[in-house]
């Protein structure tokens, strides 16, 4: 019997495992890096052990430190979560050697599936359909396009699409370097790339007594950078005959390696579902496990713990699906800027209408699995996922509508997120029709007013929200005043000029001019507008006969967040007087996030063209290319390889290409 469980992970998955452990009466132990010292999961554990440092290689990837932490805290079992060492056979063996119960599959099973090259051979021998592997040096024009993949690890890292032989060598080198950094194994291979394939996976669960469950499929085709963004169960593509074939193949895969515990067998299907191929097996719990939990009513973490204690699964098999569940991964990233990760303080995080956290709702409803709370700091050291929001409903359209509405109305103040993208996808006609595949973003586009990354609030709603923000700010100033407290802010006994407030909405500056008179509000550029009420945190306007309410949140750093039914708007208050030293030289390339300079492709004096790579940053375990904004000459290059830079730091300056121009 497990009495005290250490979770060798962080964030949302640590909180998720703690919840099931508490329900089972099991004590909990957390481990944390310096950056995670104030994270919610650390406070929720019964005991917490520090791992000095921040880099994963110094903390969450240190087998010796994790085993030592378990011993110090009196833990008798280890749950690896997902990512980090969750699929590391050496870690599993080290835990067993230390007398700790490993909540996962046998090390031998991890090893067999840890190498994608070797696992494909095993699956082919077991009768599971596979895509043939292509040797990197033997790829021909006829094989294109191909996908370069890391043999170890997952999560989209160490993967590159190659459409021309000229690009193959660079793609292999880049993928190998990223794989070596992320997983400690630079081995890569190639396979045929299906441009419009569908990513279908089957959740399996096996005990030590020979019973293997296949808990149905999940659809995970909405992806960016080969990483999942939206997942759902069941798949809109899969019918009963295909489901039977998928589950049969998944069970065969698990039996072929003597699997025990929870795992996922991933397949790539043709667009019509006519054929499917084995991709890989994740020998751990998946990020998207909540959708399977919702439609089956099972607690997969509780079942992991039960299997680890030696208990058998029911020979009658798992429950049948009930309803439909969709999960959205909320990331701190900017989809419109090549998915650049964001960092900083999350001032406010609230999702309305949540029925349960880290558990299946008592009935159809919303579930939230979050690693953050108000005030959490989004670090540059780890994956930028903030939370998972899951909607469970009687059918797919209802689940999509409930999830889109919850996300649209959520208060998310701080770093930019992919929230608008998620809502746009969930409301897109193609998604609602089930017409999805791994090229969804490429086909429907991200940028532009109608792009998937377009803000939920249109330009008119942004200006209206800016007016509400200005009125709320004036109300706050009036509330803090010591005289004339009963008069509206901006009121004059004798009419004077309008008050002006300026905001930044992204890169665009918005100026609001308004005047409060005996006859009410007069706002320049707003016809048919009247003020109903203005408080420091809530403004109500009458617009064309409709009442509109705006919730306004102001923060010390100048952030002003306005939430309304018209869409969330994030503004930055522009001070009346600018600091002259804050102005950057024209052509400056600044760091979009804190990180480490990985490679530099140019030198001072080099001529560059618009879009040409200048250097690469490594942040949040991914490479990020910094390109020249225009044609010109590199006049400054104040950074070097290996240097740590903060957000906003000048990385290079590209000057005018004309000779003699300053």
């Amino acid at each position: 019997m497990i009495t005290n469980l250490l979770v060798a992970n962080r964030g949302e998955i640590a909180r998720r495992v703690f919840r099931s452990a508490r329900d089972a009466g099991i004590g909990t132990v957390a481990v944390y890096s310096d950056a995670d010292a104030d994270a919610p999961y650390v406070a929720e554990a019964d005991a917490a052990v520090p791992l000095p440092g921040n880099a994963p290689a110094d903390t969450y990837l240190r087998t010796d430190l994790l085993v030592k932490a378990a011993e110090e805290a009196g833990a008798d079992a280890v749950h690896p979560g997902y990512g980090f060492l969750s699929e590391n056979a050496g870690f599993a063996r080290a835990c067993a050697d230390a007398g700790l119960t490993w909540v996962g599959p046998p090390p031998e099973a991890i090893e067999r599936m840890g190498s994608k090259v070797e696992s494909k051979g095993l699956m082919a021998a077991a009768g599971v359909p596979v895509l043939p592997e292509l040797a990197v040096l033997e790829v021909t024009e006829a094989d294109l396009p191909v996908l370069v993949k890391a043999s170890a690890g997952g999560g989209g890292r160490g993967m590159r699409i190659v459409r021309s032989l000229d690009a193959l060598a660079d793609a292999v080198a880049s993928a190998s370097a990223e794989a070596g950094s992320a997983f400690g194994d630079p081995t890569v291979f190639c396979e045929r790339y299906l441009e419009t394939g569908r990513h279908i996976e089957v959740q399996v669960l096996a005990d030590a007594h020979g019973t293997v469950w296949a808990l149905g499929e999940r659809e995970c085709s909405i992806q960016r950078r080969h990483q999942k963004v939206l997942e759902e169960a069941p798949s809109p593509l899969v019918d009963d005959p295909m489901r039977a074939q998928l589950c049969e193949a998944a069970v065969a895969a698990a039996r072929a390696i003597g699997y025990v515990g929870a795992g996922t067998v991933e397949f790539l299907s043709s667009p019509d579902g006519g054929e499917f191929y084995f991709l890989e097996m994740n020998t751990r719990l998946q990020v998207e496990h909540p959708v399977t939990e919702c439609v089956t009513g099972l607690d997969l973490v509780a079942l992991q713990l039960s299997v680890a204690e030696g208990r058998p699964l029911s020979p009658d098999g798992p429950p049948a699906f009930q309803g439909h569940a969709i999960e959205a991964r909320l990331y701190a990233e900017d989809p419109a800027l090549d998915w650049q990760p964001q960092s900083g303080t999350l001032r406010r995080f609230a999702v309305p209408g949540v029925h349960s956290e880290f558990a299946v709702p008592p009935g159809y409803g919303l579930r939230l699995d979050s690693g953050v709370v108000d005030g959490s700091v989004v670090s540059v050291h780890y994956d930028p996922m903030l939370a998972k929001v899951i909607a469970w409903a009687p059918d797919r359209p209802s689940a999509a509508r409930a999830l889109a509405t919850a996300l649209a109305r959520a208060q998310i103040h701080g770093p930019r997120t992919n929230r608008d993208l998620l809502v746009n996808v969930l409301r897109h006609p193609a998604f609602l029709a089930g017409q999805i595949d791994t090229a969804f973003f490429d086909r429907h586009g991200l940028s532009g007013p109608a792009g998937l990354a377009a803000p939920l609030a249109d330009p008119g709603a942004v200006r209206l929200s800016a007016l509400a923000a200005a009125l709320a700010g004036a109300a706050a100033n009036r509330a803090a005043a010591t005289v004339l407290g009963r008069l509206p802010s901006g009121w004059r006994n004798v009419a004077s000029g309008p008050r002006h407030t300026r905001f930044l909405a992204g890169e665009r500056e918005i100026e609001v001019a308004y005047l409060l008179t005996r006859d009410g509000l007069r706002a320049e550029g707003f016809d048919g507008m009247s003020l109903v009420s203005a408080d420091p945190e809530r403004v109500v306007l009458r617009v064309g006969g409709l009442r509109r309410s705006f919730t306004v949140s102001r923060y010390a750093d100048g952030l002003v967040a306005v939430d309304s039914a018209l869409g969330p708007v994030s503004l930055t208050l522009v001070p009346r007087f600018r600091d002259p030293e804050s102005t950057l030289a024209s052509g400056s390339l600044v760091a979009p996030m804190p990180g480490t300079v990985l490679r530099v492709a140019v030198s001072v004096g080099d001529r560059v063209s618009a879009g040409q790579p200048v250097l690469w940053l490594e942040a949040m375990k991914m490479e990020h290319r910094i390109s020249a904004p225009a044609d010109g000459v590199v006049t400054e290059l104040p950074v070097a390889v290996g240097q740590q830079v903060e957000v906003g730091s000048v990385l290079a300056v590209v000057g005018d290409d004309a000779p003699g121009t300053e």
Side-chain angles (χ1 to χ4, degrees), residues 260-544:
V260 176
T264 301
V265 185
E266 301 194 348
F267 299 96
L268 187 64
S269 167
S270 59
D272 61 359
E275 52 185 358
F276 59 85
Y277 306 96
F278 171 83
L279 277 178
E280 62 185 6
M281 182 174 186
N282 295 126
T283 53
R284 54 170 169 80
L285 197 67
Q286 291 280 87
V287 177
E288 57 272 20
H289 75 273
V291 294
T292 297
E293 290 187 324
C294 285
V295 297
T296 61
L298 298 172
D299 182 333
L300 291 179
V301 174
L303 287 168
Q304 281 186 297
L305 297 172
S306 177
V307 166
E309 290 180 327
R311 293 189 178 92
L313 298 171
S314 169
D316 297 331
F321 280 6
Q322 180 177 345
H324 198 99
I326 306 176
E327 172 182 291
R329 299 191 192 187
L330 187 66
Y331 286 98
E333 66 182 12
D334 189 344
L337 290 179
D338 197 26
W339 312 98
Q340 282 185 359
Q342 308 291 299
S343 60
T345 301
L346 190 62
R347 307 293 185 181
R348 172 83 170 140
F349 182 73
V351 181
V354 170
H355 297 88
S356 67
E357 294 190 48
F358 305 105
V360 178
Y364 293 128
L366 285 174
R367 167 177 171 171
L368 175 66
D369 285 21
S370 171
V372 297
V373 295
D374 292 357
S376 290
V377 176
V378 182
S379 166
V380 301
H381 301 288
Y382 313 112
D383 187 272
M385 190 176 77
L386 303 177
K388 303 177 308 196
V389 186
I390 305 98
W392 178 36
D395 51 62
R396 189 171 184 269
S398 299
R401 180 177 61 189
L403 184 53
T405 300
L407 289 168
R409 295 180 178 176
Q411 292 183 319
I412 309 171
H413 304 163
R416 187 167 297 178
T417 72
N418 66 337
R419 179 255 299 276
D420 293 358
L421 172 94
L422 295 171
V423 175
N424 289 330
V425 172
L426 289 163
R427 291 174 174 171
H428 197 281
F431 177 85
L432 294 174
Q435 298 169 358
I436 55 179
D437 54 48
T438 54
F440 190 88
F441 291 143
D442 295 331
R443 184 166 57 258
H444 295 288
L446 293 174
S447 59
L452 293 173
L456 297 180
D458 62 28
V462 173
R463 289 199 72 242
L464 201 57
S465 297
L467 174 62
L471 293 169
N477 292 338
R478 176 57 59 188
T482 57
V483 296
L484 301 178
R486 290 179 295 174
L487 296 178
S489 176
W491 185 87
R492 298 289 185 274
N493 188 43
V494 177
S496 60
R499 300 189 61 177
H500 293 261
T501 306
R502 290 181 298 157
F503 299 97
L504 283 178
E507 300 297 324
R508 184 165 62 99
E509 185 171 294
I510 298 174
E511 184 169 351
V512 175
Y514 67 93
L515 185 65
L516 292 167
T517 70
R518 290 186 179 90
D519 298 326
L521 172 69
R522 292 207 310 245
E524 294 181 6
F526 295 92
D527 297 329
M529 172 82 61
S530 62
L531 175 64
V532 178
S533 63
D535 297 317
E537 297 180 354
R538 186 170 182 267
V539 172
V540 181
L541 300 171
R542 183 172 286 109
V543 186

Side-chain angles (χ1 to χ4, degrees), residues 585-589 603-610 614 628-637 652-662:
S586 176
S588 294
L589 281 70
S603 301
V604 172
D606 287 355
R607 294 184 181 275
V608 294
S609 56
V614 173
D631 295 350
V633 174
V634 179
T635 59
E636 296 182 35
L637 193 63
V653 177
V654 177
D656 196 316
D657 200 17
T661 301
E662 183 176 332

Side-chain angles (χ1 to χ4, degrees), residues 227-241:
Q227 291 179 306
K228 303 161 189 173
V229 177
L230 286 168
E231 304 101 345
E232 56 185 306
S235 164
L237 173 71
V238 176
D239 56 17
D240 288 340

Side-chain angles (χ1 to χ4, degrees), residues 113 123 126-129 200-206 212-217 242-259 263-267 276 278 280-281:
M113 287 300 182
M123 294 302 98
V128 179
I200 311 292
E201 62 188 30
V202 176
Q203 175 73 58
V204 296
L205 189 67
V212 181
W213 284 359
L215 286 79
E217 85 286 348
M242 183 179 180
R243 181 170 297 114
Q245 293 175 357
L246 286 165
C247 289
E248 181 181 353
V251 170
R255 292 193 183 281
I257 59 171
Y259 200 78
T264 301
V265 185
E266 301 194 348
F267 299 96
F276 59 85
F278 171 83
E280 62 185 6
M281 182 174 186

